[in-house]
Structures are given as C-alpha cells and as structure tokens.
Amino acid sequence: LVEGALELAGERTDTHFLAALLALDCGDVAAAEAGFRGCLARGPARSGVERSAAAGSWAAAYNLGVICEHTQRPEEAAALYRAALAAHPGDARSLAGLERLRGPLPPGPAIR
C-alpha cells in the first residue's frame, strides 16, 4: 500500500512523511528515521499540492528527535527538537522533548 502511494505521489513530501509515520507505527525504526531524514532533505512544500508544509520541516524534525531520544542519542535529539522549535516556535511537543532531556531518560522500553 505504501509503495503504491509513493509511486502515485512520490514527489510529495507529505506522502513520504506518512510513509515514515507508518514505518514507525509498525516498528521499523530504521525506515522511519530514513524517511523523516528524507522529508527534511526535501524541505517544506513550495507548491499548493502539499497538505502539510510541516512534513518537510518541524514535524519531521520532531519525529526524528523522538527516535533519537529513544535510541539513546540525546544530543542529536536535542538539536532536532531545537530545529523543530526554530521552524515552529512554541511547539509543546518539542518543548516537552527538551525538558525530558534535561534529566535522566525515564525507564522503559526503548524503540528498537
């Protein structure tokens, strides 16, 4: 299903963003990370076709921050949360991510 969507609308950053979200939901963290990095490389939409300019900007950076936080890369996570905040000031989820990184990570299962 995802491959078909990428074939039909692979030029759209938001299609890649949704594919990365689905990969994360299915537990394929490596594919999700690659997908979100690809979204950042594509950047925000420059046309009216995209549904979400955030897909190539702050939302991808935030999701990468979450992945880095849970795979024990706190410095990279913090940088990504800051990048998300630079593009979307006041984003509560990115602020919460930075706050979590100020102390020890809570115990619990890490994302694989």
Side-chain angles (χ1 to χ4, degrees):
L1 193 63
V2 171
E3 289 172 8
L6 289 170
E7 285 178 25
L8 288 172
E11 74 283 356
R12 294 177 58 172
T13 304
D14 61 346
T15 304
H16 290 270
F17 182 80
L18 292 172
L21 282 176
L22 184 57
L24 188 58
D25 285 347
C26 291
D28 190 347
V29 178
E33 183 171 350
F36 291 130
R37 289 191 189 283
C39 289
L40 288 176
R42 289 173 182 282
R46 289 170 184 64
S47 72
V49 172
E50 298 283 334
R51 291 272 185 207
S52 173
S57 179
W58 66 269
Y62 166 77
N63 280 290
L64 276 171
V66 170
I67 290 171
C68 291
E69 181 180 349
H70 289 279
T71 56
Q72 306 306 311
R73 295 178 282 166
E75 294 85 10
E76 190 174 358
L80 286 158
Y81 290 143
R82 283 190 209 96
L85 285 166
H88 188 60
D91 178 56
R93 297 179 308 162
S94 297
L95 289 168
L98 286 173
E99 186 61 33
R100 282 191 306 274
L101 291 172
R102 288 198 175 113
L105 289 176
I111 296 175
R112 300 182 252 123

